[in-house]
Amino acid sequence: AAVKEKRATCSNGATVGDASSCAWFDVLDDIQQNLFNGAQCGAEAHESIRLVFHDAIAISPALESQGKFGGGGADGSIILFDDIETNFHPNIGLDEIVNLQKPFIQKHGVTPGDFIAFAGAVAMSNCPGAPQMNFFTGRAPATQAAPDGLVPEPFHTVDQIISRVNDAGEFDELELVWMLSAHSVAAANDVDPTIQGLAFDSTPGVFDSQFFVETQLRGTAFPGSGGNQGEVESPLPGEMRLQSDSSIARDSRTACEWQSFVNNQSKLVSDFQFIFLALTQLGENPDAMTDCSDVIPISKPVPNNVPFSFFPAGKTMADVEQACAETPFPTLTTLPGPETSVQRIPPPGA
Ligand code: HEM
Ligand SMILES: [Ca+2]
Ligand SMILES: [Ca+2]
């Protein structure tokens, strides 16, 4: 078959597969400097990754089959109709990153859906250990707000969350685990009203398997106040554990997949690379999109002074709540030193 040959050299000297990709290099330079504070994997990057999920997952063929509007998926609706969607309960706190992203969309004249996907991919590329991210363009602006009730909450059951992602994109329970790898570069600002920036693992600036290791350790205390909806006890001071992550780590349908990422960087990166692209294409026809992945920076390696998977200082195999019935938990080294206290990551402007 004939292949469309549109390779082009951009004004910065880069070669791209499609000439239309060149325009995104200006967007890249701008957001790396002025949104991500010099290509950091900090709070703005984390929130840009979360925004991809909350824009994209709001699509429901089940609602459509009842004759209702089911949302447009990765259509930028969360920015175009932010007055509506950022008031949905699971979207709490996303108004901040929406307001930070809006001026870049205006300035560069791109669609909100494309921008959200781009910012998410660039944000991931700033986190050492991340896959080489893909980025496709072509999302038309959303025409209406997504309906409420489509974004998973940390107090939902495993059944509810599996059926939600299955409806949204025909994702199965293994793919649910893959997408939750994003919680390796994440913190919570609004689950505990008394303290912001509580990370989900001890390495929130690195896309590694520590989220999967540390969620499997016995919870011992709350990092701030107790009794918050959707939160359970975590193993480390300063660390937040969501009830949903705890349940999915221990459910017989998902526990072995959860454990499979421990000590297995190649599986972690390939599964996440695949599922992130799929999320950014929900509601779109991938064949009608343009591949602009050449614009995404080359991913950075994990720091080589720490093992890829480890027990935080003070923790051993005795702290693991083994949930996978088929395979023993991998043997890991314990980092030296006193018990790890996880650093807070304050939200932008805090
Ligand atoms: C499927 C079930 C999921 C649930 C119940 C869930 C829930 C949550 C909650 C409650 C927070 C904390 C929000 C806050 O208080 O600031 C959070 C943060 C986050 N989530 Fe999820 N999430 C899910 C899946 C995902 C997926 C699939 C992704 C991305 C692909 C994602 C990316 C993130 C990121 C990056 C953060 C950190 C944001 C920050 O540091 O500011 N989550 N999630
Ligand atoms: Ca949307
Ligand atoms: Ca991490």
Side-chain angles (χ1 to χ4, degrees):
V3 176
K4 274 186 284 179
E5 184 53 71
K6 292 192 284 183
R7 287 196 80 78
T9 302
C10 307
S11 57
N12 66 353
T15 305
V16 293
D18 191 286
S20 70
S21 302
C22 289
W24 288 92
F25 281 110
D26 288 342
V27 190
L28 175 67
D29 293 343
D30 199 2
I31 65 174
Q32 287 291 45
Q33 221 42 58
N34 302 311
L35 179 61
F36 299 136
N37 307 312
Q40 297 296 304
C41 178
E44 295 80 8
H46 299 168
E47 293 191 22
S48 295
I49 297 163
R50 179 176 172 226
L51 189 65
V52 168
F53 181 57
H54 291 232
D55 185 35
I57 203 68
I59 183 167
S60 173
L63 281 179
E64 295 278 340
S65 72
Q66 298 162 22
K68 297 172 187 151
F69 177 60
D75 59 357
S77 64
I78 201 164
I79 285 184
L80 279 161
F81 299 97
D82 62 326
D83 287 351
I84 299 169
E85 290 194 33
T86 63
N87 286 317
F88 296 164
H89 187 267
N91 293 340
I92 186 165
L94 285 174
D95 54 320
E96 285 176 15
I97 192 66
V98 164
N99 286 330
L100 289 173
Q101 288 193 2
K102 272 182 180 175
F104 297 96
I105 295 169
Q106 284 290 318
K107 179 176 170 191
H108 296 282
V110 296
T111 68
D114 283 350
F115 185 84
I116 290 172
F118 184 66
V122 174
M124 280 299 314
S125 82
N126 290 340
C127 303
Q132 187 58 43
M133 304 302 290
N134 292 296
F135 168 58
F136 284 66
T137 61
R139 296 165 195 78
T143 54
Q144 49 182 316
D148 199 358
L150 299 181
V151 180
E153 295 266 25
F155 49 84
H156 286 165
T157 64
V158 181
D159 280 347
Q160 281 176 300
I161 297 173
I162 291 175
S163 73
R164 180 74 275 282
V165 298
N166 187 258
D167 174 28
E170 295 180 21
F171 298 124
D172 65 18
E173 69 277 9
L174 306 185
E175 292 173 306
L176 167 64
V177 176
W178 304 356
M179 59 181 86
L180 280 166
S181 306
H183 283 179
S184 181
V185 284
N189 297 320
D190 293 293
V191 174
D192 181 337
T194 68
I195 177 166
Q196 296 198 299
L198 294 169
F200 296 154
D201 73 7
S202 61
T203 55
V206 182
F207 185 79
D208 56 11
S209 71
Q210 284 310 107
F211 168 68
F212 294 105
V213 174
E214 294 169 24
T215 46
Q216 212 70 67
L217 300 175
R218 186 171 302 106
T220 52
F222 290 106
S225 64
N228 301 308
Q229 193 184 31
E231 182 185 9
V232 296
E233 287 182 329
S234 81
L236 296 175
E239 184 166 295
M240 157 82 51
R241 180 180 292 172
L242 298 179
Q243 184 186 309
S244 48
D245 290 336
S246 177
S247 306
I248 297 167
R250 286 160 182 75
D251 189 282
S252 62
R253 291 165 289 182
T254 43
C256 290
E257 192 66 14
W258 200 270
Q259 183 184 289
S260 77
F261 291 124
V262 176
N263 251 349
N264 195 343
Q265 188 180 19
S266 61
K267 181 174 193 300
L268 181 72
V269 297
S270 68
D271 289 349
F272 190 74
Q273 183 193 50
F274 171 87
I275 206 70
F276 188 88
L277 178 62
L279 286 170
T280 65
Q281 294 182 329
L282 281 175
E284 302 292 324
N285 172 9
D287 297 333
M289 302 180 87
T290 301
D291 189 350
C292 285
S293 302
D294 338 60
V295 183
I296 305 298
I298 302 295
S299 59
K300 303 172 196 162
V302 289
N304 59 10
N305 56 333
V306 280
F308 177 68
S309 299
F310 57 86
F311 287 130
K315 301 293 181 186
T316 68
M317 193 67 96
D319 299 297
V320 172
E321 291 181 330
Q322 177 74 33
C324 172
E326 284 128 55
T327 319
F329 198 84
T331 303
L332 304 177
T333 54
T334 296
L335 288 196
E339 181 183 61
T340 309
S341 187
V342 180
Q343 294 294 307
R344 286 176 57 226
I345 305 178

